[in-house]
Amino acid sequence: MDITFWGVRGSTPCFSRDKVHFGTNTSCLEMLEQGGERLIFDSGTGIVALGDHLERQGFPHCDVLHLFYSHFHWDHIQGLPFFKPVYRKGTKIVIYGRPSVETVLTSQLVPPFCPIPMEAVGSELQFVTMKAPVTLGPFVVTPFPLNHPQGSNGYVVETENRKAVYATDTEPDGGPMDRVLREHSRAADVLIMDSNNGMEEAERRRGWGHSTWRDCISVARDAGARTLVLNHHDAFQNDDAVREKEALARREFPDVFCAYEGLTLAV
Ligand SMILES: [Zn+2]
């Protein structure tokens, strides 16, 4: 499968010239199997560029799009009203998420917060509360809970011979949630994980629901994951800070790097 990163920041879009290498859009990534279903994870502002890209390509494999939400904090939803396929007649978008996914999204995307209410968009929207694995063409997508304020879903995405795990917005709890994350990440070909907190910030940010690069390595090592992708970079980390995080992580784990906007990873 190909995994493309469209937004790799946490909390808020954060443009400044010293952040353009890794990018400044909030969470969005895409998984695509040759000729198969197109899966999208989160609709932070990164999804705006994905919509633009799809339009320029003539909307390939866009009759049905599958959009999975980790949770509903703004950095994971705010790009949706600007995602061009939402306005395309003939596109159906199946939106998967935690309980109340329909209520939460439709009550956000209404005037006066947003000029276009969801019922006025051109595409067909279908909402699915994600409780069990779903099979979509070559993919099986399995949700699991993460430790984050108001909760977050991680997703295991498996094809016949590949396994990717998307685990964003999660903080170690030193107990059952850590075990759940490790179990679901077992032998993953790629683990994409929240590395929001700097090491020096972790203590004072306890309870905010995020991890450090060292927490990510701990999970990858325990789970036997092959490749670790550090994602959800803090909005205030410039390119130098993200590069430093990457360099430190590489001293402790053989196959690790920091996600950047526009990266496509062949898994
Ligand atoms: Zn987030």
Side-chain angles (χ1 to χ4, degrees), residues 11 71 75-76 169 210 232:
S11 306
H71 64 306
D75 52 323
H76 298 260
D169 295 61
H210 294 290
H232 200 285

Side-chain angles (χ1 to χ4, degrees), residues 142-148 152-156 163-188 190-194 209-212 214-225 228:
T142 305
F144 63 95
L146 295 168
N147 185 37
H148 194 66
S152 183
N153 272 3
Y155 291 102
V156 179
K163 175 176 178 177
V165 177
Y166 177 52
T168 195
D169 295 61
T170 186
E171 177 175 348
D173 75 338
M177 301 298 275
D178 290 356
R179 283 195 292 281
V180 168
L181 175 55
R182 282 158 174 76
E183 276 161 25
H184 283 85
S185 303
R186 183 129 349 264
V190 58
L191 167 63
I192 301 158
M193 196 171 152
D194 164 7
H210 294 290
S211 296
T212 66
R214 199 164 261 154
D215 297 327
C216 299
I217 287 179
S218 168
V219 175
R221 214 178 252 150
D222 292 350
L228 171 63

